[in-house]
Amino acid sequence: MLVRSGKSKFLSWQRHQYSPLARQLEVFSVVTQFLFYLGWDKFAGNNDSRRRHRRAQWLVKQLVRLGPTFIKIGQSLSTRADLLPIEYVQELQQLQDRVPPFEIAEAIAVIESELGKPIDFLFQAFESTPLASASLGQVHKARLHTGEEVVVKVQRPGLEELFNLDFEVLHQLIRAGKRYLPALKKYDLEAIYEEFFELLFLEIDYIHEGKNADRFQENFKNHARIKVPKVYWQYTTKKVLTLEYLPGIKIDDRQSLEAKGINLDEIIQLGICSYLKQLLQDGFFQSDPHPGNMAVSSSGDLIFYDFGTMAEVKSVAKDQMIETFFAVLRKDTDKVVETMIYMGLIEPMRDLTPVKRIVAFLLEEFRDKPVDIKAFERVGEEVYLMFKQQPFRLPAQMTFIIKSITTLDGIARALDPQYNLLAASQPFVRSLAVSNGKGSLVSTLAKQAREFIKNKWQQPNTTERYLRRLEEKIERGELQLRIRSLENERTLKRIYMAIKSLIYACLTGLTLLSATVLLSTAYSKFAIIAFGGAGLFSLFLLRSLIALALQEKLDRLADK
């Protein structure tokens, strides 16, 4: 029996008859208010970190109010530290993709319309209360007539129409911005927004998501501890996705995992190694691995959900990513910078010393040990200064990678604040080192792994490491040598005093000449002021000449 839920909170953007003009005014109103706030803060000179946090919090609330399109925009911008101040990045990272569920009647209407049969004919049981709800859709648990338990993902009604409407509104906004805000011309906003909407429309195509799930499952078919829900294609359309029900404990729920006796270190290793495989071997990875998309089964297996936001690494970049990974393990700063330039993460510059210094610091501080927030503060200002100078370029593909890695790092630290990447990735490295597979990619992986192990065996002794660090500091311009020469210091001091005396002499002569000229004109009254100035400058000149004479005598005495 189907039990109906109570009424859900109505969202303004869910109107069935949404006027394009009303939507345009709503969006333009938020943008105008935000620009006014920014302009006012700049005019008032009140643009400190605390004020930026307040503005960012206000922006996050408005994005949620505007609905799915803008929630997704905010989530995308949360990874762009190269474009936004740190305060906005921090607040946007807290942006939740949770909104109230829509009516069960609407969900059933979508299912019946898409699958062409009554709900009772399709499912033996269908729970009216959703397991989860987001801006794009919601998930209901159900049971097929064959007895299998499944979850049914249903798209929000009218979502595609809303995206089409927002697509036009944002296009108008971008055109207006380029016309009236010249500072925006340096960004290719039209290309960015077209790429964003292309990905967004793919995310609401559940057939595409189902294919992603099948591909992901195929990639991990030989990994028994990685679970991927099976897709029931006969119950799947563009707006309805039916998957195998795989319950689990939320991956960052440390207390529940410990209560079940699950080894947290193994879960961290499993998560890190699975992502290294996705990034480096498969080139096909889940770009949004937040805790809601990953769970742990009662037997300690890792379960992946939600395959709507998958991303690919082009084959041309795979080898470079592998080399970068092993260069990070070796703390090879030059190789890391070289491959980042090759991949388009860093703009080629004449002087890469600041970039190398930051990379070397990050490798030294955070590769083998937990992140120390205080340590980040030492380079924070320099990093953001570098961003302002535009030495970094973050393509969309790399934005997904960075977002995935940072999110996964946060999950791992929730389980074990003392975890480190090197220890967690050891199983992956060992598996590569003994790999005898064929193909250029596997060959590259095995070669890099062997070189890494060889490098570990050939570590220099303490003296050699010290000399190597000294050499690296000299190359990066971090080593400053200070040589004092008393004779040179005395000479420079005398030159400084002589120049000072010369300036006073020029000022005395100039004011005295001006006073003499003024005496023969109608402005003779001002000649008194000029004579006074000449007298004052002459006193300064006299004091300076005396000081210079005394300094010369002292220097001669010191030389004897």
Side-chain angles (χ1 to χ4, degrees):
M1 180 178 176
L2 183 65
V3 180
R4 307 279 170 169
S5 61
K7 280 198 169 184
S8 302
K9 181 182 176 183
F10 180 76
L11 302 169
S12 62
W13 47 266
Q14 282 190 291
R15 300 170 192 158
H16 293 290
Q17 298 296 326
Y18 209 127
S19 163
L21 179 60
R23 184 63 171 173
Q24 187 172 330
L25 289 174
E26 189 176 20
V27 173
F28 272 66
S29 172
V30 171
V31 173
T32 304
Q33 286 182 68
F34 185 59
L35 291 176
F36 173 78
Y37 291 148
L38 293 181
W40 176 259
D41 291 342
K42 187 175 181 180
F43 174 76
N46 186 5
N47 196 29
D48 56 12
S49 179
R50 187 176 177 183
R51 176 56 64 93
R52 286 196 295 270
H53 267 297
R54 286 180 58 192
R55 297 303 186 209
Q57 288 169 357
W58 179 87
L59 180 61
V60 166
K61 290 179 181 177
Q62 299 307 311
L63 293 177
V64 172
R65 186 174 67 83
L66 288 174
T69 310
F70 296 89
I71 290 173
K72 292 297 179 183
I73 289 174
Q75 289 173 340
S76 299
L77 290 173
S78 69
T79 62
R80 302 309 299 260
D82 58 327
L83 299 178
L84 300 178
I86 183 63
E87 294 83 4
Y88 284 87
V89 171
Q90 290 171 346
E91 292 298 333
L92 288 170
Q93 285 174 348
Q94 306 302 317
L95 186 61
Q96 296 297 310
D97 192 12
R98 294 196 183 104
V99 295
F102 51 93
E103 289 287 342
I104 183 62
E106 292 182 293
I108 291 172
V110 171
I111 294 171
E112 292 180 341
S113 172
E114 289 291 306
L115 298 178
K117 294 176 182 177
I119 193 75
D120 292 333
F121 185 86
L122 294 166
F123 303 104
Q124 188 182 81
F126 187 91
E127 294 188 3
S128 61
T129 304
L131 293 175
S133 174
S135 57
L136 302 186
Q138 62 192 37
V139 178
H140 293 263
K141 185 182 175 184
R143 186 168 60 253
L144 300 177
H145 288 286
T146 52
E148 295 107 315
E149 289 193 323
V150 296
V151 290
V152 184
K153 189 173 180 180
V154 188
Q155 190 178 115
R156 283 187 178 272
L159 197 59
E160 190 170 351
E161 291 78 3
L162 179 65
F163 283 170
N164 284 323
L165 182 58
D166 287 342
F167 184 83
E168 292 300 324
V169 170
L170 285 173
H171 197 193
Q172 294 177 17
L173 191 63
I174 288 171
R175 286 202 298 261
K178 287 174 66 177
R179 180 181 298 177
Y180 300 110
L181 299 172
L184 295 178
K185 290 183 179 179
K186 63 179 180 179
Y187 302 108
D188 191 0
L189 292 180
E190 293 217 19
I192 292 172
Y193 116 97
E194 284 178 6
E195 183 178 16
F196 169 78
F197 272 98
E198 182 181 347
L199 293 171
L200 199 57
F201 279 110
L202 279 178
E203 192 172 348
I204 62 170
D205 182 353
Y206 289 169
I207 292 177
H208 176 75
E209 182 176 344
K211 290 178 180 179
N212 286 342
D214 280 351
R215 180 178 171 184
F216 193 89
Q217 188 176 51
E218 177 67 20
N219 290 342
F220 283 94
K221 66 180 180 181
N222 296 323
H223 295 75
R225 297 195 62 188
I226 302 295
K227 303 296 183 184
V228 181
K230 171 189 172 183
V231 180
Y232 288 85
W233 284 108
Q234 64 270 39
Y235 300 98
T236 295
T237 68
K238 188 176 180 180
K239 295 182 181 181
V240 176
L241 176 63
T242 304
L243 300 166
E244 176 187 5
Y245 177 57
L246 289 179
I249 304 167
K250 205 172 179 183
I251 194 169
D252 63 347
D253 189 349
R254 180 175 178 174
Q255 190 174 1
S256 297
L257 292 173
E258 288 178 335
K260 286 282 186 180
I262 295 172
N263 189 315
L264 299 183
D265 289 337
E266 285 186 7
I267 296 301
I268 292 173
Q269 283 189 344
L270 201 57
I272 296 293
C273 292
S274 68
Y275 257 86
L276 290 175
K277 180 183 183 303
Q278 292 174 53
L279 287 168
L280 305 180
Q281 284 185 300
D282 304 332
F284 182 70
F285 64 98
Q286 190 185 56
S287 61
D288 190 20
H290 63 74
N293 288 346
M294 299 170 72
V296 181
S297 71
S298 57
S299 58
D301 297 332
L302 187 60
I303 307 168
F304 282 89
Y305 307 121
D306 195 348
F307 303 94
T309 55
M310 305 299 288
E312 292 194 58
V313 180
K314 293 179 181 177
S315 57
V316 70
K318 283 184 185 177
D319 290 350
Q320 294 299 321
M321 291 182 68
I322 293 164
E323 290 182 21
T324 303
F325 171 70
F326 284 97
V328 168
L329 296 182
R330 295 193 307 267
K331 297 184 181 178
D332 186 346
T333 302
D334 290 336
K335 187 63 180 177
V336 172
V337 172
E338 177 188 329
T339 51
M340 289 175 78
I341 291 173
Y342 180 87
M343 294 166 71
L345 278 174
I346 298 176
E347 290 278 10
M349 297 170 63
R350 185 176 299 174
D351 181 16
L352 285 168
T353 300
V355 179
K356 288 183 178 180
R357 189 161 62 246
I358 295 297
V359 172
F361 173 84
L362 294 174
L363 292 178
E364 184 66 32
E365 289 292 329
F366 307 127
R367 198 208 67 167
D368 299 330
K369 49 194 172 184
V371 174
D372 180 5
I373 300 302
K374 292 182 179 178
F376 258 125
E377 293 175 358
R378 284 186 272 157
V379 289
E381 291 183 5
E382 187 165 359
V383 169
Y384 281 96
L385 180 61
M386 288 170 64
F387 277 141
K388 287 182 180 179
Q389 294 171 348
Q390 296 297 322
F392 288 106
R393 180 179 64 228
L394 296 177
Q397 186 184 41
M398 295 311 302
T399 300
F400 291 136
I401 294 172
I402 291 170
K403 181 181 179 183
S404 299
I405 292 173
T406 53
T407 305
L408 196 64
D409 178 80
I411 293 170
R413 296 195 189 286
L415 297 178
D416 180 10
Q418 299 302 310
Y419 110 99
N420 69 77
L421 174 64
L422 182 61
S425 62
Q426 285 302 308
F428 180 78
V429 175
R430 283 196 298 270
S431 69
L432 297 179
V434 298
S435 173
N436 292 316
K438 295 180 180 180
S440 60
L441 182 59
V442 175
S443 175
T444 303
L445 284 164
K447 179 183 175 183
Q448 290 291 330
R450 292 188 190 104
E451 285 182 4
F452 170 70
I453 294 173
K454 182 180 177 182
N455 178 266
K456 278 294 180 182
W457 278 103
Q458 296 176 346
Q459 286 290 339
N461 59 36
T462 306
T463 305
E464 289 174 335
R465 284 200 301 269
Y466 177 78
L467 291 173
R468 188 173 294 178
R469 286 175 188 167
L470 186 64
E471 182 183 359
E472 289 172 354
K473 284 189 175 183
I474 293 172
E475 288 178 353
R476 293 197 298 264
E478 294 179 7
L479 189 66
Q480 296 182 356
L481 300 178
R482 184 177 179 183
I483 302 174
R484 289 191 63 184
S485 172
L486 294 176
E487 184 177 347
N488 288 342
E489 287 183 5
R490 289 199 298 266
T491 303
L492 288 172
K493 191 172 183 179
R494 287 202 304 272
I495 292 172
Y496 166 74
M497 296 179 73
I499 292 173
K500 191 176 178 181
S501 300
L502 181 61
I503 292 171
Y504 285 139
C506 291
L507 290 172
T508 302
L510 181 63
T511 50
L512 189 61
L513 179 63
S514 300
T516 305
V517 172
L518 286 171
L519 281 174
S520 57
T521 65
Y523 302 100
S524 56
K525 293 179 182 180
F526 295 104
I528 300 173
I529 298 173
F531 278 122
L536 183 63
F537 288 131
S538 64
L539 290 175
F540 290 153
L541 173 62
L542 182 61
R543 189 179 68 174
S544 182
L545 290 172
I546 293 172
L548 180 61
L550 289 173
Q551 185 64 43
E552 287 179 349
K553 285 184 179 182
L554 290 171
D555 290 346
R556 282 197 295 270
L557 289 172
D559 291 337
K560 288 182 179 180

